[in-house]
């Protein structure tokens, strides 16, 4: 897969125009978004991934199963792929960017979007007429067409919650009427905001690369912040207190003063700006599903040893299963890696921000970062497996 310029990627738009006109608003079709496209893996490699226990995969059979739109979850046996019908099935593999280095490079052109919003690169292989049916996703996705051709039918009309075919393994729309139809070939791309109904059908054996952007539900956010508040509670026996209680006019009234005390307490426990920022940084970088990293068998004792390793390897690389992010606290930073938080003082803040932004740290560039907090940060990341001295 070859590099693409930003304006080529977005069909002549610059990132600010794309965000203003299309992001979470309306679809965008870009012909030759990747003008010199080359697939980062072949179908046999994708099938091989689907046979591994630590890979999240699904096989969708519109026909040929015990019922229409049957879903089989991995890991799959190799023989299963030899027994499949010639048409109407699709293999979907999640988190391919965390298993195949070349697939991870597909995220680089989308660096104008916040890293913490990135979910994964899902790759699908479809036999002729393969599909997962008309459906709606709750997240933003860029559908990049690889080998073969696929027809996409889309509708921007609102979809009722009960517009689902009953009794199926998938949430397939019962009523779907396409407003637009596009045929995509290698290197073409279709951006879809959340809630846009779409139906992709393989016109020939084809591969599609879905670059998805996560969007936590309000329920997930509330569950997460409440769990964090309970973990950070401190004195679990502390109780509501009102030493400034005034004589009430009615004994059954919950006064405005009492409600204000409750609101202040809840805000302090759950919504204090500094605490909630640290919680959210850990939350959005925490490992999910198969996002596991392995620490080196022999951790390094000091930064000097890591500098030698990096020099010999030509640099360091972020493990693709690891997410980095940071939030500012005054002039300092809280840096988050794989769900863990570390405070970086103001003097090293911009260097730490740079480290979070990169996926590859060339040895020559690292030379200026070994001293002080940044060297300690890199050593910590290396000993936890978050950065490595090889690409995988």
């Amino acid at each position: 897969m070859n590099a693409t310029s930003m304006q080529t990627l977005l069909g002549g738009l610059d990132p600010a125009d794309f965000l203003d006109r299309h992001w979470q608003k309306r679809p965008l079709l870009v012909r030759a978004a990747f003008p010199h496209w080359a697939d980062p893996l072949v179908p046999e490699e994708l099938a091989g991934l689907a046979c591994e226990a630590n890979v999240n995969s699904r096989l969708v059979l519109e026909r040929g199963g015990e019922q229409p739109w049957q879903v089989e979850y991995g890991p799959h046996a190799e023989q299963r792929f030899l027994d499949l019908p010639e048409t109407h099935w699709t293999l979907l593999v999640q988190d391919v960017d965390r298993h195949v280095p070349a697939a991870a490079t597909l995220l680089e052109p989308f660096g104008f979007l916040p890293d913490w919003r990135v979910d994964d690169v899902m790759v699908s292989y479809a036999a002729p007429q393969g599909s997962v049916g008309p459906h709606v996703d709750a997240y933003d996705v860029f559908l990049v067409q690889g080998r073969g051709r696929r027809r996409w039918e889309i509708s921007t009309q609102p979809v009722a919650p009960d517009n689902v075919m009953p009794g199926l393994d998938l949430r397939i729309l019962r009523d779907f009427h396409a407003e637009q139809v596009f045929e995509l070939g290698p290197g073409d791309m279709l951006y879809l905001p959340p809630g846009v109904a779409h139906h992709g059908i393989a016109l020939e054996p084809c591969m599609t690369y879905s670059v998805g952007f996560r969007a936590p539900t309000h329920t997930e956010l509330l569950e997460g912040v409440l769990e964090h508040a309970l973990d950070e509670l401190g004195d679990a026996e502390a109780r509501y207190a009102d030493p400034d209680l005034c004589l009430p006019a009615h004994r059954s009234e919950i006064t405005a003063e009492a409600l204000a005390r409750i609101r202040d307490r809840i805000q302090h426990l759950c919504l204090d700006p500094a605490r909630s920022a640290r919680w959210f940084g850990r939350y959005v970088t925490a490992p999910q599903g198969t996002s596991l990293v392995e620490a080196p068998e022999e951790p390094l004792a000091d930064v000097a040893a890591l500098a030698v390793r990096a020099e010999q390897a030509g640099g360091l690389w972020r493990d693709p299963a690891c997410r980095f992010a940071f939030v500012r606290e005054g002039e300092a930073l809280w840096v988050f890696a794989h769900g863990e938080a570390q405070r970086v003082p103001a003097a090293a803040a911009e260097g730490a921000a740079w480290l979070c932004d990169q996926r590859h740290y060339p040895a020559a560039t690292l030379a200026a970062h070994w001293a002080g907090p940044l060297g300690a940060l890199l050593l910590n990341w290396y000993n936890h497996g978050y950065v490595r001295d090889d690409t995988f």
Side-chain angles (χ1 to χ4, degrees):
M1 182 178 57
N2 300 89
T4 184
S5 71
M6 192 59 63
Q7 288 215 329
T8 300
L9 178 77
L10 299 176
L13 299 175
D14 64 35
D17 287 336
F18 170 80
L19 294 175
D20 182 55
R21 300 181 193 178
H22 293 277
W23 180 253
Q24 302 214 320
K25 302 174 186 70
R26 58 182 63 86
L28 176 66
L29 172 68
V30 182
R31 296 293 183 189
F34 294 84
H36 307 290
W37 176 266
D39 284 276
L41 72 168
V42 298
E44 291 78 9
E45 289 175 297
L46 189 69
L49 281 175
C51 296
E52 296 182 13
N54 66 331
V55 174
N56 185 352
S57 65
R58 293 169 292 159
L59 189 59
V60 177
L61 290 88
E62 180 182 356
R63 303 177 186 176
E66 296 180 0
Q67 64 178 31
W69 301 109
Q70 178 174 303
V71 179
E72 300 175 10
Y73 294 92
H76 306 277
E78 292 184 18
Q79 184 62 40
R80 183 69 184 100
F81 295 107
L82 301 177
D83 297 336
L84 289 170
E86 293 185 2
T87 64
H88 292 87
W89 60 267
T90 302
L91 172 67
L92 305 102
V93 181
Q94 302 284 156
D95 301 325
V96 175
D97 53 303
R98 295 162 200 174
H99 301 284
V100 178
T105 64
L106 186 56
L107 294 171
E108 289 303 317
F110 301 96
F112 63 94
L113 295 167
D115 259 4
W116 68 265
R117 288 280 265 115
V118 175
D119 191 2
D120 73 336
V121 177
M122 182 185 75
V123 182
S124 68
Y125 173 82
Q129 299 303 305
S131 172
V132 296
H135 64 283
V136 172
D137 292 322
Y139 50 82
D140 301 87
V141 63
F142 295 85
L143 299 163
V144 182
Q145 186 58 34
R147 67 173 62 199
R149 305 189 71 81
R150 182 184 288 272
R151 183 174 72 245
W152 287 102
E153 303 172 351
I154 69 171
S155 172
T156 58
Q157 296 303 307
V159 176
D162 61 350
N163 183 9
V164 178
M165 296 176 64
L168 299 180
D169 293 338
L170 298 173
R171 289 183 60 82
I172 294 177
L173 298 181
R174 183 181 62 251
D175 298 314
F176 172 76
H177 305 286
E179 296 176 333
Q180 296 176 285
V181 179
F182 309 111
E183 186 176 309
L184 271 63
D188 292 342
M189 182 179 76
L190 177 63
Y191 163 72
L192 295 176
V196 173
H198 52 288
H199 185 196
I201 304 168
L203 302 179
E204 58 194 49
C206 72
M207 297 182 74
T208 303
Y209 300 77
S210 302
V211 182
F213 288 78
R214 65 194 309 204
T217 67
H218 292 170
T219 298
E220 290 169 338
L221 290 174
L222 282 173
E223 288 176 344
V225 75
L226 289 173
E227 182 179 346
H228 170 73
L230 289 170
D231 289 341
E232 300 288 315
L233 193 56
D235 184 0
E237 299 302 318
R239 293 178 179 271
Y240 169 84
D242 50 6
D244 54 349
L245 181 65
C246 297
L247 189 66
H250 300 276
R251 67 182 187 180
S252 56
E253 180 181 6
I254 303 173
T255 64
E257 291 78 12
L259 291 172
R261 292 189 199 98
I262 293 293
R263 281 195 300 270
D264 290 346
R265 200 71 224 139
I266 291 174
Q267 181 166 346
H268 173 73
L269 292 172
C270 298
L271 301 175
D272 172 77
R275 294 174 66 177
S276 60
R278 292 195 293 272
W279 159 73
F280 191 69
R282 288 194 288 262
Y283 174 80
V284 296
T285 60
Q288 293 185 326
T290 60
S291 301
L292 302 177
V293 298
E294 294 184 6
E297 293 183 4
E298 297 183 9
L300 298 179
D302 53 42
V303 173
L306 179 58
V308 171
R309 286 280 183 93
E311 184 65 32
Q312 292 172 341
L316 298 174
W317 287 261
R318 184 198 305 193
D319 189 295
C322 188
R323 301 175 185 272
F324 291 170
F326 69 86
V327 297
R328 298 188 185 275
E329 185 180 74
E331 298 297 319
L333 296 187
W334 278 97
V335 172
F336 307 97
H338 212 54
E340 295 188 359
Q342 188 170 346
R343 190 176 187 276
V344 176
E350 292 312 308
W354 180 83
L355 292 176
C356 287
D357 283 344
Q358 308 307 309
R359 286 182 168 82
H360 174 221
Y361 312 97
T365 308
L366 283 173
H369 293 85
W370 292 126
L374 295 182
L377 182 67
L378 284 165
L379 180 64
N380 179 58
W381 286 353
Y382 181 86
N383 283 337
H384 280 84
Y386 305 157
V387 297
R388 309 168 54 151
D389 54 2
D390 57 12
T391 53
F392 256 70

